[in-house]
Amino acid sequence: MSAALPGPVMVAAGCGGTGRELEPYAGPAGLVGLDLVTRSITLDPRPGGPGPRLAEVPGGLVNAVGLPNPGLGHFLATELPWLVRAGVRVHVSIAGATMGEYAELAGRLSTAPGVAGIEVNVGAPDEAGAGVLEVREPYHAASVVAAVRREFPADRPVLAKLRPDVSRIVEGARTCHEAGATAIVVGNAVPAAFADGRPGGLSGPAVAPIALRCVATVRDALPAVPTIGCGGVRDVASARAYLEAGATAVQVGTALLHDPTTVARLRASLAAHPPEETA
Amino acid sequence: MPDGPVHVEGEVVATKRIGGYRHLTLTAPGIPERFRAGSFVALTVDGHVTRRAFWVHRVRALSALGPTLDVVLETRGSGTARLATLPVGAKVAITGPLGRPFALPKDAVSCLLVGEGYAAAPLFPLAERLRERGCSVSLVVSAPDEAHLLSALEARRSARSVTVLTADGSVGLRGTVADHAADLVARSEADVVYAAGPHDVLHAVASAAEAAGAWSQVAIESPTPCGTGLCHGCPLPVVGEDGVDRVVRACTEGPVVRGDRVRWDAL
């Protein structure tokens, strides 16, 4: 595997809008070279779930956004060309209802100009919210990753995004890496509920210690598997915690909703100290 | 000056309790200069992950402290409570101006502006812009009671005619916007109707406008966790120009949308 890893600072899936909305807050360097993971794209358009989709809780957010997206065709025709023109390194997050859909998404993305990589969303907090193929079991996740890997050029990264599940993360990371994932993104929203019991996923500072534990556990058990930390990254200290625990990069998500300049500030601060090459 | 929003550190330069609301005057470098009526700002609250969105009530291009903007806030929870207690001199991170503002008519037409509670705030700068264009402006300010009427006195300076409505009849006409919408639209002979307030007020005004053959523009207030379009957390069901049902973001495709485009039953 020779795919170069993105980093050290990325925009996490679902928190970067369509990419355009970040431009006013991207700082003097603009969006050029920014590693942005798109919101999860499905083959067909999805309107997303009903409101309220997000609720603030101490230390984070509970969300059930429901993967709103315009579908692959519209994404390729409008959002992707805009992002490519802006100089963004586009990592397309994909979610499918079947194995075949994942393969088709990967196949069509493999020929779309300007796609830097794919992130496979295999750790959605709740199937009720996502309504996509249940792929949290490591075996199923690995099968999906293998299908995507077969369709996508070997010199471009395929990231597998797993939920920070302390008891299953090593197994998940190992199987997905063996199936061809370039790196494991550790840190989707963790299963939670709104105040009325409706299922959702918890993200933000509250999940940082959990995701950090998962990164450290994978590093100890599988030192050859590159990981990308995601969960509660909001400043240099929280980013460094992941990098020092062995992550090759961090993804910034919920913090962008608090301060849309977070990624620009972290890119500037961490650029002077890039993580070691591990690819 | 570019149109896009900016994220800046502002400062509270005045804070006043007026009736049931807190009026904050803020410096926010770059935002008053970019502001257009109907756009809004989002304030970061320490200790809270999401931000709080506010209508801009007034901008002053010139003051001793440079350009400032006023927001009107009603305490709803711990975030707004914290902002309401910010003292003069407090620093606060502000993003704005956000969202699509009210569209202004090209010609000098007759306009009716209807606002309920603190959400009437964006109608005041709108009234000024419309008057500058020679439009005839009628303003309706409504609230549950007198304490929640926004700036009725100021309204008399901004509009040709002002109607005050309170649900409890404490001042002005007794009743709600829904009770009076058809009559108000008919009497104003408005070509364009603008509204800002809760969904039932907007729906009543949009329906009355449609029945009277007037255009309507409504400023939709939804919880906007980020305000910037990043989180897709403020779904707004609309009918597109092509007649197809869609869900858009209230913060970026709104907050101002055509009243006849909102799928009110799906809100």
Side-chain angles (χ1 to χ4, degrees), chain A residues 43-254:
Chain A
L43 273 183
D44 295 323
R46 290 171 60 103
R53 291 176 172 179
L54 285 97
E56 189 175 65
V57 295
L61 277 182
V62 176
N63 87 80
V65 176
L67 305 184
N69 78 93
L72 182 67
H74 191 271
F75 170 79
L76 293 175
T78 59
E79 293 181 22
L80 178 64
W82 188 92
L83 290 165
V84 171
R85 274 199 306 278
V88 173
R89 282 210 293 259
V90 186
H91 304 264
V92 182
S93 172
I94 58 172
T98 64
M99 197 82 88
E101 282 192 18
Y102 276 102
E104 185 178 348
L105 284 157
R108 288 173 62 184
L109 286 167
S110 71
T111 57
V115 175
I118 284 179
E119 182 179 279
V120 191
N121 183 357
V122 283
D126 205 297
E127 66 275 13
V132 292
L133 180 64
E134 163 63 276
V135 283
R136 293 194 301 272
E137 275 299 313
Y139 169 76
H140 294 301
S143 304
V144 166
V145 169
V148 169
R149 185 76 274 179
R150 274 195 296 276
E151 299 290 333
F152 200 66
D155 60 350
R156 286 188 270 166
V158 169
L159 312 176
K161 186 171 182 179
L162 300 178
R163 202 165 76 185
D165 181 335
V166 175
S167 61
R168 305 295 296 275
I169 193 68
V170 169
E171 188 186 354
R174 181 193 295 119
T175 54
C176 286
H177 188 59
E178 286 171 358
T182 319
I184 307 302
V185 181
V186 176
N188 220 312
V190 302
F194 288 86
D196 62 3
R198 194 160 55 102
L202 173 67
S203 67
V207 305
I210 303 170
L212 186 60
R213 164 79 181 261
C214 290
V215 167
T217 305
V218 172
R219 189 262 324 264
D220 289 347
L222 310 165
V225 176
T227 59
I228 295 171
C230 176
V233 174
R234 60 190 186 281
D235 53 19
V236 170
S238 51
R240 282 210 190 287
Y242 280 109
L243 299 176
E244 285 164 13
T248 60
V250 293
Q251 292 189 350
V252 182
T254 304

Side-chain angles (χ1 to χ4, degrees), chain A residues 14-18 21-22 24-25 39 47 49-51 53-54 56 59-61 65 68 205 254 256-261, chain B residues 4-7 44-52 78 95-96 98 225-226 228-235 247 249 252:
Chain A
C15 296
T18 65
E21 297 82 5
L22 273 179
Y25 317 107
R39 55 198 165 134
R53 291 176 172 179
L54 285 97
E56 189 175 65
L61 277 182
V65 176
T254 304
L256 281 167
L257 314 184
H258 178 77
D259 176 350
T261 65
Chain B
V6 292
H7 179 78
T44 304
V45 191
D46 284 345
H48 290 261
V49 173
T50 60
R51 282 113 57 77
R52 302 298 185 271
S78 61
T95 314
L98 297 166
C226 74
T228 49
L230 296 176
C231 75
H232 292 267
C234 51
V247 177
R249 293 165 291 183
T252 35

